Amino acid sequence: MSPDEFLQQCDILEAQALAAFAAAEAACDSKQLEAARIEFLGARSGRIKQLQKALGAVPATANPAAGKRFNELKRKVEAGLDGAAERIAMRSRQQAEAQRQRAFDPTVPGTALRLGRLHPITQTIEELKDIMGRLGFAVAEGPEVEDEWHNFEALNIPPEHPARDPLDNFYLATAARCATEIPNGGAPSLNPTEAPPRLLRSQTSTVQIRVMEQMRPPVRVISCGRVYRPDTPDDTHFPMFHQIEGLMVDRDVTMGHLKSTLRLLARMAFAPDVEIRFRPSFFPFTEPSVEVDMTWESGWIEMGGAGMVDPNVLRAVGYDPEVYSGFAFGLGIERICARRHGVTDIRQFFRNDVRFLHQF
Ligand code: FA5
């Protein structure tokens, strides 16, 4: 083959290859592009390979120029193929995305949103407030972080009382205590020279004191809220739970008032034929003290603790126990809520499983 013929063949092949790639690209057809690749760049019988064989027949004097042109042809054709392949891939992606968007049908009805509702414990608290409101009790609030005066001292629980053991309460580490105790990994000490200890309240009875410090008798209040104890969780215990506290102080308040109030509360919250009974018990802040049971199915179940406010407590808030008497009670709200709804494990209230919570 003459050098001129060879160069001419190179020009023709280059033009044909680039045209074939452009046609495949215009059709956005990767199969067509692959066929063109095999036709021109196929390793064995591709047309460029064939032309390479013809290079051997070009006279030696013209060989360097012909070789250079051949290399240039190969480079251009390969670059043309890569460019077309890249553009086809990009257009395919764009077309798929456009197709996906076209597939969205705005007339199809959406997924129905499930409306939220109050937590069963909150619902129970609201109902208890409503019932006690109808019996003439106002609602009082108190802080969850308490000092020892309100959680213990004023409730007739002296410093040496076992209920004050740091292991049975959630004491807070203050800045001063953190600095000295946390590096050693010890529990907070109750050293009186340091900042006064504070703790998460262990009972809503703290609110009794706060209310009586603020107002003179007659007092008729309830308080509902969170309390904290390092109890091991089980079916009926949780380290954070809720109590409802009731307090009535006036002249001539008796155990009879306490019993009739709790009977009405139980009947309004559970069933009209519920009965209650008192069992002797002990709380430092009431005298006498009782455990309150109510009838449930074929037996009795415990509702909580109650009693007549201890004269020492009345004195601690400046009330004269010769003039005034009062009753107080404290009930666990999780257990009330669990019984009303047939829940057998109070831990379920705090798992935040909407399949469970949605039943209420
Ligand atoms: C008291 O907390 C007293 N303050 C009640 C009281 C108030 C007595 C006023 C006299 C006058 P007690 O520790 O028994 O008492 O708790 C009362 C109720 O809280 C229990 O009956 C129970 O229903 C509930 N309770 C106690 N510990 C837990 C716990 N870890 N988890 C869930 N509920 C609990």
Side-chain angles (χ1 to χ4, degrees), residues 100-112:
R100 198 185 63 75
Q101 292 200 359
R102 271 197 303 279
F104 174 72
D105 179 354
T107 63
V108 172
T111 314

Side-chain angles (χ1 to χ4, degrees), residues 202-205 208 227 229 231-232 236-246 283 285-286 289-291 302-308 327-336 339 346:
S202 59
Q203 49 187 348
T204 43
S205 300
Q208 289 184 33
V227 300
R229 294 180 191 177
D231 289 346
T232 306
T236 52
H237 292 84
F238 206 70
M240 183 285 298
F241 61 101
H242 297 74
Q243 286 186 334
I244 172 172
E245 189 84 9
F283 296 101
F285 34 92
T286 45
S289 302
V290 294
E291 294 288 345
E302 188 190 304
M303 286 179 77
M308 299 304 293
F327 70 69
F329 62 84
L331 318 176
I333 292 177
E334 277 70 16
R335 296 192 196 167
I336 294 176
R339 256 166 229 139
I346 68 164

